[in-house]
Structure formats: C-alpha cells, structure tokens
Amino acid sequence: MSGATGFLTEEETLSAVGRLDRARLQRFVRTEVIRPADAGGQAVYRRVDIARLELLCDLCDDFELDDDALGIVMELVDQLHGTRSELVALMRALGEEAEHVRARVLERLKR
C-alpha cells in the first residue's frame, strides 16, 4: 500500500492482480467499470478496486464478456451490494425495536 493513504498505485495494482496487465486495466478504466481515485494527478486504487479487478478478470477469462456485458454485470453487482447494505441497515433497525414489533414483522414476512 502506498503510504498511509490505503491506496495502491497503478504498479502495485498490476502486481496485486496476477492476470491484469496495463492494457486490460486501461480498458476497464476507459469503460468505467473501474473508477480509480486521483492522488495528485496519479490514478490510485482502493482494496475494493482490487476485488473488482479480480472479478473482471474472471468474467473476461472465463466467460469472454465484451465491454457492454462487463458494464451490465458490474452494474448488477453494484446494485446487489447496495441492496445488501440496505437490508443490513433494515435488520439493524428492526433489531433495535421491541420484541412485539419484531415478532409482528416476522409474522408478516411469512405470509
């Protein structure tokens, strides 16, 4: 990791993702399925970007997806993550409610 920022440089990112080369990384950035942060004019990548890059390499290598399909799949992945976050927040809020409220909600979910 570069400094105390928690970001990886392009070179560190290429080293971290074994199947990634510079051309493929540039393709992912150009098609906006990866959006690096900017650190003084230099593209830097977060841990979540590394995970996304691994998934993108899997999709390209295993399923031979083109740019449009990659964009659609990653948009769906992002939606799924957003929905999961909302569900976690909902469950946390429900957990803070009184037992009778939780029981009533659970009963309605069974219908």
Side-chain angles (χ1 to χ4, degrees):
M1 287 270 174
S2 295
T5 65
F7 290 104
L8 285 86
T9 65
E10 185 173 299
E11 291 304 319
E12 291 169 327
T13 299
L14 291 168
S15 294
V17 183
R19 294 170 293 153
L20 185 65
D21 60 24
R22 194 170 314 279
R24 186 179 262 188
L25 177 60
Q26 290 171 348
R27 169 186 168 203
F28 294 155
V29 170
R30 185 180 63 253
T31 59
E32 298 183 354
V33 291
I34 290 292
R35 293 182 183 99
D38 183 272
Q42 178 183 0
V44 291
Y45 300 86
R46 302 165 294 156
R47 287 237 179 257
V48 69
D49 294 324
I50 302 305
R52 288 176 71 90
L53 287 163
E54 291 282 0
L55 175 58
L56 286 162
C57 288
D58 287 344
L59 293 170
C60 287
D61 294 345
D62 298 344
F63 300 102
E64 300 177 6
L65 297 184
D66 64 20
D67 291 349
D68 290 336
L70 285 175
I72 291 168
V73 169
M74 295 310 289
E75 184 176 326
L76 291 171
V77 167
D78 291 342
Q79 288 176 13
L80 184 59
H81 280 283
T83 300
R84 182 183 179 280
S85 295
E86 291 171 358
L87 183 57
V88 167
L90 176 63
M91 294 304 294
R92 188 176 305 120
L94 184 58
E96 294 172 2
E97 292 296 324
E99 177 60 34
H100 73 279
V101 173
R102 291 193 310 261
R104 192 171 66 226
V105 170
L106 289 173
E107 186 60 37
R108 286 190 177 176
L109 288 173
K110 292 178 183 176
R111 292 184 196 170

